[in-house]
């Protein structure tokens, strides 16, 4: 895995989950950690709404494997959340705070060729994972996307795994997907990002630092039905979707299984 950063002159990252109406492959997560300032639910709805854009590189001749794309998206969220520019008085911090003060949305779009090159020229961070490249950008107003990103397609992002993914490291972080739901690759990428963010929130500062130093190892896998029932009854963080697209409201989509939280 490698992270490629574009220098910034201005701005370039949480969970119950939901989506803005009419925005396929978007996701809306719940409030920030208890230590952070929190708005009341009504205030969060009334606050200006922001979205975290993610773009997956999808070349016709060499599309990424689905699992690689999901894992890269989850890792990209963690890389942005932990970046010094997203923290304190960093140059992205105001955008991140505005995003977290409202309904936290993630939208996955796809790009190839010149589209990808234009997207890669914008402030952001590209995360490589296996066959996948995913670029994450600073949060933007829901109706204020940069034109280079607004033109990109949202719906219909379908990917496959050429071979079944290997069993995850039993001692490593795993984002378990529901075996009961069918999600497009874009939708699942957004949900995996939510799961990673929930795990990040639940960890101590020392545990976060250790995960970051290790390069944010993680796996995204679909749980077996009996294992899924066990996971959703545990104390691990669970992503619940608001149901604006693809799946029913309140559906459990991801359980964030980090070793420090077991």
């Amino acid at each position: 895995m490698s992270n490629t950063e574009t220098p910034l002159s201005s701005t370039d990252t949480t969970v119950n989950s939901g989506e803005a109406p009419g925005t396929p492959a978007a996701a809306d997560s719940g409030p920030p950690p208890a230590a952070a300032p929190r708005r009341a639910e009504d205030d969060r709805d009334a606050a200006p709404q922001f979205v975290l854009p993610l773009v997956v590189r999808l070349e016709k001749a060499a599309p990424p494997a689905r699992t690689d794309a999901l894992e890269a998206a989850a890792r990209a969220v963690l890389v942005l959340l932990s970046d010094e520019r997203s923290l304190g008085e960093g140059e992205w911090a105001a955008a991140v705070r505005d995003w977290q003060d409202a309904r936290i949305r993630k939208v996955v779009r796809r790009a190839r060729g010149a589209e990808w090159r234009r997207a890669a020229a914008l402030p952001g961070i590209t995360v490589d994972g296996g066959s996948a490249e995913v670029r994450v950008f600073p949060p933007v107003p829901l109706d204020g996307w940069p034109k280079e990103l607004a033109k990109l397609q949202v719906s219909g992002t379908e990917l496959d795994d050429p071979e079944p993914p290997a069993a995850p490291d039993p001692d490593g972080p795993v984002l378990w997907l529901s075996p009961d739901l069918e999600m497009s690759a874009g939708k699942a990428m957004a949900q995996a990002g939510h799961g990673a963010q929930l795990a990040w929130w639940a960890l101590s500062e020392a545990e976060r630092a250790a995960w970051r130093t290790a390069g944010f190892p993680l796996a995204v896998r679909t749980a077996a039905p009996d294992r899924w029932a066990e996971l959703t009854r545990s104390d691990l963080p669970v992503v619940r979707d608001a149901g604006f697209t693809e799946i029913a409201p309140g559906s459990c989509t991801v359980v964030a299984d980090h070793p420090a939280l077991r």
Side-chain angles (χ1 to χ4, degrees), residues 23-173:
T23 54
D28 163 22
S29 47
R38 295 179 60 175
R39 291 176 180 262
E41 288 298 300
D42 290 346
D43 290 340
R44 292 177 66 231
D45 289 332
Q49 301 295 302
F50 286 76
V51 61
L52 186 75
L54 295 130
V55 175
V56 58
R57 186 174 186 178
L58 193 60
E59 301 291 347
K60 288 183 178 179
R66 181 184 175 96
T67 296
D68 287 350
L70 269 58
E71 292 176 350
R75 211 171 276 120
V77 172
L78 293 166
V79 168
L80 186 55
L81 285 172
S82 64
D83 193 284
E84 62 183 9
R85 291 163 291 186
S86 298
L87 306 172
E89 300 304 317
E91 55 191 313
W92 307 346
V96 172
R97 284 194 296 270
D98 288 343
W99 174 54
Q100 292 188 129
D101 276 349
R103 292 287 178 184
I104 303 172
R105 293 177 168 90
K106 299 178 181 73
V107 175
V108 177
R109 297 177 183 253
R110 63 183 188 271
R112 61 170 60 98
E115 294 175 333
W116 174 259
R117 291 190 291 274
R118 286 192 290 269
L122 296 176
I125 304 172
T126 296
V127 171
D128 302 335
S131 60
E133 290 182 74
V134 174
R135 189 164 180 83
V136 62
F137 301 86
V140 298
L142 195 59
D143 58 355
W145 285 67
K147 64 180 185 300
E148 295 88 348
L149 302 183
K151 296 177 181 178
L152 301 178
Q153 293 294 314
V154 182
S155 60
T157 302
E158 295 300 339
L159 299 170
D160 295 313
D161 282 316
E163 297 180 358
D169 178 357
D171 297 320

Side-chain angles (χ1 to χ4, degrees), residues 139-211:
V140 298
L142 195 59
D143 58 355
W145 285 67
K147 64 180 185 300
E148 295 88 348
L149 302 183
K151 296 177 181 178
L152 301 178
Q153 293 294 314
V154 182
S155 60
T157 302
E158 295 300 339
L159 299 170
D160 295 313
D161 282 316
E163 297 180 358
D169 178 357
D171 297 320
V174 184
L175 303 175
W176 293 106
L177 300 176
S178 170
D180 303 322
L181 301 172
E182 292 187 7
M183 295 183 281
S184 67
K187 175 79 170 183
M189 289 170 68
Q191 299 298 311
H194 279 326
Q197 196 163 359
L198 275 187
W200 179 255
W201 278 358
L203 296 174
S204 68
E205 289 298 327
E207 290 161 347
R208 291 180 184 180
W211 200 11

